[in-house]
Amino acid sequence: MMASIPLLVNLRVRLVALVLLALIPALALVLFIAWEERGLETAETFEDAQRLVRLFSQDQERYIEGARQLLIALAQLPDVRDGNTRSCNALFANLEAQYPLYANFGAIWPDGKLYCSAVPFEGVVDLSDRSYFRRAVQSRDFAIGDYQIGRLTKKPTLNFGYPVSDETGKIKAVVFAALDLGWLNSRVAEVDLPAGSVLSVIDYRGTVLARYPDPENWIGKSAPELPVFKTVLTRRKGTAQMAGADGVRRLYAFASLKGGPSGDAYVIVGIPEAAAFANVHRSLLRNLVWLGLVAVLALAAAWFIGNPFVVSYISERIRAQEARLRLAAIVESSDDAIIGKTLEGTITSWNRGAERIYGYAEHEIIGRSIATLAPPERKDEITDILERLKRGERIEHYETVRVRKDGKPIDVYLTVSPVSDASGKVTGLSTIARDITERKRLEQEANRLRADFTAMIIHDLRSPLTTIMSGAGMMEEGLAGPVNPDQKKWLGKIQASSRHMVDLISEFLDLSKIEAGRIELLKEEVDLHGLVKNCLDNYLIVARDKGVSLISSLSPERPRIWADPRRLEQVFANLVSNAIKFTPAGGKIQVNGALENGDRIQLSVSDTGPGIPPRELGQIFQKYRQTMSGKTSQHKGTGLGLVICKMIVEAHGGKIWVESQEGKGTTFFFSLPVASQLADGNPPSPSLT
């Protein structure tokens, strides 16, 4: 009996050791669950902070837009435009009483002198040093200043300015509105935040514009060196986990506020870790207590009863956290149309932005093809987009036309992306669409007005230049009396310079017409061989004088091209002229042309000049761009010739491109469609594009 006691004790010790080993996974599970919960709480807290940032940013952006609209309206008032100080003061004083968020309204002459204010003033008040005034004058548009203490209000304010222009566009004055930062802080204080949280608004220099809590200790202070502010100013948008100025560790979310001073202000929300993880800590403590009780019971059973089994601890918290993760995947609503669809183009999701843009309610469009939104002439475009997306491609910044439910066409800006599963397989498609109809209309109207204005200016410039050329020519021929050789030389230079100016003016006029969509194409059947020959004949003397060979190598086929011969000759003349300009003596220029695939003809102009650096090839068809060889050439240009060539070729349904090797030469290619529509013998009538 006595011998069995040590054996029994040894057995109990082993059983206790087994129980303790069995408890290790349970303890690890409890700690893992706590770690998972902490991660989920971190994500949820960041999401809550980001939501608060978005809501506050949207609220402030509405006030900035309201200020802009108000200043635009004030800039049109006669009392402001005419500089009537008495009536203007009364008007602004009345406005200031109606809008408590503003500390002052006023108007400033272009020299910076205040002539109108809601807050009374005496003597001369010079505001020319204020940032909002300088930015409004420089940008000629709505501008926002930096943090300041008002010279009249003596309050911390953020001022908005807007230029007042006369009929000629000259700035007559700048109207301004001073946002009371005290009022802004009252708005900040209304935001529902957890205990110990902070909300700050800072400008691009790290100056605090609004703060909760303790606004009186923060507003107007510049603290870009603080870790939180330094992170915000560097990253501009995102989240961070760090200690604040008071040493309290917080979870921060921040974002740029559109329209802030110099373009950027930032909203920062910080939630204490203690508040964020309070539930996690309570859950961990509760789980550890339960695990301890289970361990005591298991050890007691193992010691006293010898039971080797330990009841495993199963937490229902895992299922709860998985449910929260599913809820976190809900997509927020957007003003843009966000559409989900299958690989075949069947619509599967439809947000409120899509309903607003296209006019279809969700129940009307779900299950229908995305081709429902495309006009008849763009059905093939939908098929092409779907095929590209099935290959995993992404379509960005794509402008096209779609049709609303009421049949009205709208211009839209698309980004279409494939949606892949965990294995990378494309399982669906996502489209984000933005309505740009109004923007396109305004762009077309602006181009039309610019073209009209340009044409008027060019007409006024061309007339005196023509007179100068004629007068110089008459004098050179001796019609106004005898001239000596030096005078003839200078008269020749006057004529050459005048002709160069007329050419430049003509290029500007062509460009303005093309950009306004008013280029006139008088199309007819064109003999390409004859057109190229005439163009080369015009440049034979110039090429011979420079010692450059001109070679034509066109295929024997004579395809018919339906084009404007004058515009097409303009393209050839520009390319050949450029080739002569940059080809050294002894070089050669070759014009090639051949039929491709039976429906297009490709033409090229090659030279043996210095070539174009690869970094400049992508900019060659941009306005006012010249290559380094062009900038150092003796023949200066406007940088518009190739732009005009590109627009003319594209207006004919063709395309133009360039290939070049430094030190070997450059080749410009362009292709045009063959006039297959003439096969029936009935040429189409001339068209205007």
Side-chain angles (χ1 to χ4, degrees):
M1 181 67 181
M2 295 298 294
S4 64
I5 292 178
L7 180 61
L8 180 60
V9 172
N10 186 44
L11 179 60
R12 288 175 177 174
V13 170
R14 291 184 179 183
L15 289 174
V16 168
L18 288 174
V19 169
L20 291 175
L21 288 174
L23 287 174
I24 291 176
L27 177 61
L29 178 62
V30 169
L31 296 177
F32 174 77
I33 291 173
W35 181 77
E36 284 285 308
E37 287 180 339
R38 186 181 178 92
L40 292 171
E41 287 290 348
T42 300
E44 187 177 73
T45 302
F46 277 140
E47 182 179 345
D48 290 341
Q50 288 173 323
R51 177 180 56 82
L52 290 171
V53 167
R54 284 194 299 272
L55 291 174
F56 187 82
S57 297
Q58 292 169 0
D59 187 47
Q60 300 312 304
E61 289 166 8
R62 282 194 295 270
Y63 284 114
I64 293 174
E65 178 60 21
R68 189 181 74 87
Q69 296 293 342
L70 179 59
L71 290 180
I72 291 174
L74 292 177
Q76 307 305 316
L77 296 178
D79 290 338
V80 176
R81 299 181 67 85
D82 297 337
N84 190 330
T85 300
R86 177 175 297 177
S87 58
C88 181
N89 286 344
L91 170 66
F92 284 172
N94 185 41
L95 276 177
E96 196 255 345
Q98 295 180 43
Y99 294 95
L101 66 160
Y102 295 108
N104 194 12
F105 293 92
I108 309 169
W109 292 121
D111 62 356
K113 302 300 188 297
L114 180 71
Y115 72 88
C116 179
S117 171
V119 176
F121 68 98
E122 294 180 358
V124 176
V125 179
D126 188 354
L127 300 178
S128 60
D129 60 331
R130 292 305 198 187
S131 56
Y132 66 88
F133 170 80
R134 297 198 306 270
R135 290 168 186 162
V137 171
Q138 292 171 359
S139 67
R140 307 179 72 87
D141 200 355
F142 177 75
I144 305 177
D146 301 327
Y147 169 88
Q148 66 177 46
I149 299 296
R151 289 181 179 146
L152 299 180
T153 63
K154 308 305 181 183
K155 296 179 180 180
T157 61
L158 183 65
N159 286 29
F160 311 104
Y162 187 81
V164 180
S165 303
D166 59 17
E167 293 76 13
T168 65
K170 181 179 180 181
I171 295 179
K172 297 175 60 178
V174 173
V175 292
F176 70 88
L179 178 66
D180 188 348
L181 293 183
W183 176 89
L184 180 61
N185 272 282
S186 67
R187 292 290 297 168
V188 171
E190 294 173 5
V191 179
D192 187 15
L193 295 172
S197 299
V198 296
L199 192 156
S200 304
V201 180
I202 65 172
D203 66 13
Y204 68 100
R205 300 178 304 181
T207 302
V208 179
L209 304 179
R211 168 80 176 193
Y212 176 84
D214 302 322
E216 60 277 0
N217 294 328
W218 284 92
I219 294 179
K221 288 187 176 180
S222 180
E225 73 283 354
L226 289 179
V228 174
F229 290 0
K230 185 181 297 184
T231 300
V232 171
L233 295 174
T234 301
R235 293 170 50 191
R236 302 171 65 88
K237 182 179 181 181
T239 58
Q241 189 170 353
M242 62 179 64
D246 54 2
V248 177
R249 289 191 60 82
R250 292 183 176 90
L251 304 176
Y252 290 93
F254 48 91
S256 174
L257 176 62
K258 296 178 182 177
S262 290
D264 286 307
Y266 304 91
V267 180
I268 310 166
V269 172
I271 299 177
E273 289 184 354
F277 302 141
N279 291 335
V280 175
H281 294 161
R282 284 194 295 269
S283 177
L284 176 61
L285 180 60
R286 183 174 63 250
N287 292 340
L288 289 175
V289 169
W290 279 108
L291 182 60
L293 291 176
V294 170
V296 169
L297 291 176
L299 289 172
W303 185 259
F304 296 105
I305 304 173
N307 185 0
F309 301 102
V310 177
V311 178
S312 301
Y313 175 78
I314 301 175
S315 175
E316 293 184 358
R317 294 282 297 175
I318 296 177
R319 290 191 293 272
Q321 297 303 330
E322 290 175 346
R324 290 170 63 183
L325 285 175
R326 287 193 295 270
L327 291 175
I330 297 174
V331 178
E332 291 189 42
S333 61
S334 171
D335 288 338
D336 292 336
I338 302 177
I339 305 170
K341 52 187 179 289
T342 65
L343 294 177
E344 291 70 34
T346 302
I347 297 173
T348 57
S349 64
W350 187 263
N351 74 336
R352 284 179 293 178
E355 181 174 340
R356 179 183 60 82
I357 292 175
Y358 293 109
Y360 290 95
E362 184 178 10
H363 69 274
E364 295 176 315
I365 199 69
I366 294 295
R368 297 176 64 178
S369 171
I370 193 67
T372 304
L373 307 177
E377 67 274 11
R378 291 183 180 264
K379 299 297 184 184
D380 292 341
E381 176 185 282
I382 297 294
T383 303
D384 178 64
I385 290 175
L386 291 176
E387 290 300 321
R388 291 173 60 187
L389 291 167
K390 288 177 184 178
R391 298 193 296 267
E393 296 182 27
R394 175 183 170 90
I395 297 173
E396 295 181 329
H397 316 312
Y398 184 71
E399 293 188 9
T400 185
V401 177
R402 293 293 180 258
V403 178
R404 285 176 47 86
K405 179 182 177 182
D406 57 12
K408 179 182 176 182
I410 56 174
D411 294 296
V412 295
Y413 183 84
L414 300 179
T415 295
V416 193
S417 308
V419 178
S420 305
D421 59 16
S423 65
K425 180 181 178 181
V426 177
T427 58
L429 308 172
S430 172
T431 298
I432 300 176
R434 176 168 296 175
D435 186 351
I436 59 171
T437 304
E438 181 62 16
R439 191 195 79 186
K440 298 284 285 187
R441 185 190 68 78
L442 293 175
E443 286 176 354
Q444 292 172 359
E445 179 64 16
N447 285 336
R448 184 188 67 80
L449 293 174
R450 182 173 58 186
D452 291 342
F453 178 75
T454 302
M456 178 185 67
I457 295 299
I458 286 174
H459 178 269
D460 290 343
L461 288 173
R462 184 181 283 168
S463 296
L465 284 172
T466 303
T467 302
I468 292 172
M469 288 172 56
S470 300
M474 294 172 62
M475 293 175 67
E476 186 180 17
E477 293 174 3
L479 297 180
V483 293
N484 59 43
D486 284 342
Q487 291 172 333
K488 279 191 174 184
K489 181 183 72 173
W490 285 107
L491 287 170
K493 289 185 177 182
I494 291 173
Q495 291 185 77
S497 297
S498 298
R499 280 194 296 272
H500 180 62
M501 285 299 297
V502 170
D503 291 341
L504 296 183
I505 289 171
S506 298
E507 286 188 353
F508 280 116
L509 182 58
D510 282 343
L511 182 64
S512 66
K513 286 182 178 180
I514 294 171
E515 288 185 332
R518 293 164 60 182
I519 179 176
E520 185 178 26
L521 297 182
L522 301 177
K523 294 183 179 180
E524 61 184 60
E525 188 176 354
V526 175
D527 177 11
L528 191 62
H529 289 67
L531 188 145
V532 172
K533 183 178 183 303
N534 289 338
C535 180
L536 294 181
D537 287 345
N538 292 337
Y539 284 95
L540 278 176
I541 296 177
V542 177
R544 184 182 60 194
D545 291 345
K546 193 175 180 182
V548 175
S549 301
L550 285 181
I551 304 171
S552 174
S553 177
L554 299 180
S555 64
E557 300 97 338
R558 300 180 76 92
R560 293 171 294 176
I561 294 180
W562 193 252
D564 183 334
R566 185 177 68 86
R567 293 294 184 182
L568 202 55
E569 187 170 352
Q570 184 178 355
V571 174
F572 270 111
N574 190 287
L575 296 180
V576 172
S577 174
N578 281 348
I580 294 174
K581 183 191 305 182
F582 297 116
T583 301
K588 72 174 182 177
I589 296 168
Q590 184 162 339
V591 178
N592 296 321
L595 194 62
E596 288 193 343
N597 302 323
D599 60 349
R600 299 186 75 84
I601 185 166
Q602 178 176 299
L603 301 112
S604 64
V605 177
S606 302
D607 64 50
T608 56
I612 302 171
R615 65 180 181 276
E616 297 182 6
L617 286 175
Q619 305 171 353
I620 198 71
F621 293 107
Q622 295 179 12
K623 286 189 293 186
Y624 312 118
R625 292 281 188 177
Q626 291 184 295
T627 64
M628 290 304 297
S629 57
K631 293 177 181 177
T632 58
S633 171
Q634 296 178 353
H635 308 278
K636 301 298 182 181
T638 61
L640 297 177
L642 291 177
V643 179
I644 294 173
C645 289
K646 181 176 185 291
M647 291 181 172
I648 292 175
V649 170
E650 291 178 349
H652 281 83
K655 62 178 181 178
I656 186 170
W657 68 98
V658 62
E659 296 177 2
S660 182
Q661 285 186 295
E662 285 191 90
K664 293 186 178 181
T666 301
T667 301
F668 282 88
F669 300 87
F670 67 95
S671 66
L672 297 170
V674 174
S676 58
Q677 64 267 37
L678 298 179
D680 58 2
N682 297 316
S685 59
S687 62
L688 297 178
T689 301

